[in-house]
Amino acid sequence: MKKSIVILSGGLDSTVCMSVAHSKGYELYPITFSYGQRHSREVEQAKKVAKYYSCARHLILDIGFFREIGASALTSQEIEVPTNRHIDDEIPLTYVPFRNAVFLSMAVGYAEAIGAEKIYIGVNALDYSGYPDCRPQFIKAFQEAVNLGSAAPQKGCPIAIETPLLSLTKAEIVKLGVKNGAPLHLTTSCYNGGEKACGICDSCQLRLKGFKEAGVEDPIDYEDYQQK
């Protein structure tokens, strides 16, 4: 069976991305990163999502690097997670420096090792928080780096980076997840990582907006938001 790597955070986008790879008939090899984020909830949810899909193997890597350099509200306790922020194109405090490049680099190495032909990553360039490593230009440039810097193309098995959510709105992502039967109830999006989502951080706001516009009830619980 053909294989694919899925960068799985346990969040909405990566889980829907996993559902797309599953719908294409790939044997799934998710890779999850514990990179010094403020909480471990997303890693725990990623484990549940991987179990839901009966994945052949779920690789979980601890990367202390991001914890050491800080510089992000997601990896430093000294920087507060912004709440009720007007979401625009400015790079927010929750941006983790060059994180997707690091994740993709490791995923490429994993793909080469097991002979996977695809790497799925749930980056999005429409309803997103202003992260530069979610832009299509970055993905295009990284794909070129993979083509030039990996041995896979010379062996006749090039590795393609798949970004099925890149140009979708958050509402379209929710609808796609519902269509594919993705376990949205197992996902977490909150930057604060509580038992209930805060409802007021950037990620919660984007998620809530997406479910509302999709006309779908969000299956997770929130602290500061009452669904109507």
Side-chain angles (χ1 to χ4, degrees), residues 100-112:
N100 282 344
V102 174
F103 289 179
L104 282 168
S105 294
M106 293 190 173
V108 170
Y110 191 21
E112 281 201 277

Side-chain angles (χ1 to χ4, degrees), residues 71-105:
S72 168
L74 297 191
T75 57
S76 174
Q77 297 295 331
E78 298 177 359
I79 305 174
E80 292 188 7
V81 173
T83 57
N84 292 316
R85 185 177 73 89
H86 174 68
I87 298 175
D88 49 33
D89 288 335
E90 292 186 4
I91 299 174
L93 294 174
T94 51
Y95 167 65
V96 180
F98 220 45
R99 178 181 60 181
N100 282 344
V102 174
F103 289 179
L104 282 168
S105 294

Side-chain angles (χ1 to χ4, degrees), residues 16 41-42 97 109 113 126 128 132 134 151 184 198 219:
V16 174
R41 183 172 176 80
E42 62 181 10
L126 290 182
Y128 77 124
C134 288
L184 304 184
C198 72

Side-chain angles (χ1 to χ4, degrees), residues 10 43 93 189:
V43 175
L93 294 174
S189 299

Side-chain angles (χ1 to χ4, degrees), residues 28-46:
L28 305 175
Y29 287 82
I31 181 171
T32 298
F33 298 94
S34 178
Y35 60 91
Q37 56 267 61
R38 298 175 73 94
H39 58 84
S40 60
R41 183 172 176 80
E42 62 181 10
V43 175
E44 294 307 311
Q45 297 310 113

